[in-house]
């Protein structure tokens, strides 16, 4: 998860910061950075990650700058750490952090390089800095920033598309469940209706069989009313017959 990533990066940076105490002369500043990282690491462990997201790339940039100033200047391996701070900022802070620390890395490098070229700053470990290097490294850092920004945007697009697909799938599954429930309900209703009609038909057939043995019309009509009332559960059953002139219906 992202929280685990923040904690892991902080732990690595804290270990690296403590390990360089044997190689730098500016021990108080390095210890101060280590203390800040340790505090933000503890905060991250209890669920507060945003201080570590900010302090960690800053610490990498500062430590790398110290290495460059106490070593070979822009030719020092600390330049790799300076570029690394840009990458870490992109991972922890997103596109805005990537651009901000990219600009910061370029400013730090150009400032040291210009100071070396102008003779204002002489690295403890001598190295010749040319104008070509002054422009080449910032272009390299800019290319890295641009590439990582494009990568972050692409990953965000993929994540957004994945969330949209997930929501679409959830909606589709919900519709399928509703359709299934509707079909089951209709099937149960249809089955109950067929069973009711089958029972009625069986009742009609049973009634017809019972009436075939009766010959007298009066008894037949009375038996029909009685059987229909019993078989179909009617409270009252009656038969109306027209009179000889077909003028009145007689119960």
């Amino acid at each position: 998860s992202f929280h685990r990533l923040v904690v892991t990066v902080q732990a690595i940076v804290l270990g690296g910061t403590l390990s360089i105490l044997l190689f730098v002369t500016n021990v108080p500043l390095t210890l101060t950075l280590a203390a800040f990282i340790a505090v933000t690491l503890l905060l991250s462990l209890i669920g507060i990650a945003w201080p570590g997201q900010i302090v960690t790339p800053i610490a990498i940039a500062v430590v790398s700058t110290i290495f460059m100033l106490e070593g070979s200047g822009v030719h020092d391996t600390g330049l790799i750490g300076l570029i690394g701070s840009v990458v870490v900022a992109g991972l922890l802070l997103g596109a805005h952090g990537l651009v901000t620390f990219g600009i910061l890395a370029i400013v730090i490098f150009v400032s040291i390089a210009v100071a070396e070229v102008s003779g204002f700053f002489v690295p403890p470990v001598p190295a010749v800095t040319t104008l070509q290097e002054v422009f080449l490294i910032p272009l390299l850092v800019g290319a890295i920033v641009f590439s990582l920004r494009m990568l972050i945007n692409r990953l965000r697009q993929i994540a957004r598309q994945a969330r949209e697909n997930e929501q679409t799938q959830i909606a589709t599954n919900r519709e399928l469940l509703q359709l299934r429930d509707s079909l089951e309900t209709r099937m149960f209703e249809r089955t109950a209706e067929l069973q009711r009609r089958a029972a009625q038909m069986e009742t009609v057939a049973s009634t017809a069989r019972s009436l075939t043995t009766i010959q007298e019309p009066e008894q037949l009509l009375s038996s029909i009313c009685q059987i229909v009332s019993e078989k179909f559960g009617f409270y009252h059953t009656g038969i109306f017959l027209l009179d000889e002139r077909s003028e009145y219906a007689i119960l």
Side-chain angles (χ1 to χ4, degrees), residues 80-102:
I80 299 176
L82 191 62
I83 297 175
S85 68
V86 179
V87 177
V88 172
L91 291 174
L92 302 184
L93 298 174
H96 295 295
L98 177 67
V99 174
T100 300
F101 277 83

Side-chain angles (χ1 to χ4, degrees), residues 13-88:
V13 173
L14 177 60
T17 303
L18 293 175
S19 65
I20 68 172
L21 289 173
L22 301 174
F23 305 100
V24 298
T25 58
N26 200 335
V27 174
L29 178 59
T30 306
L31 285 175
T32 302
L33 286 174
F36 272 110
I37 298 172
V39 171
T40 57
L41 177 58
L42 293 176
L43 291 175
S44 297
L45 291 174
I46 63 175
I48 306 175
W50 67 265
Q53 294 176 243
I54 299 174
V55 171
T56 302
I58 292 177
I60 297 174
V62 172
V63 169
S64 301
T65 303
I66 294 174
F67 256 92
M68 294 171 67
L69 293 176
E70 295 186 356
S72 304
V74 294
H75 297 89
D76 194 86
T77 54
L79 178 61
I80 299 176
L82 191 62
I83 297 175
S85 68
V86 179
V87 177
V88 172

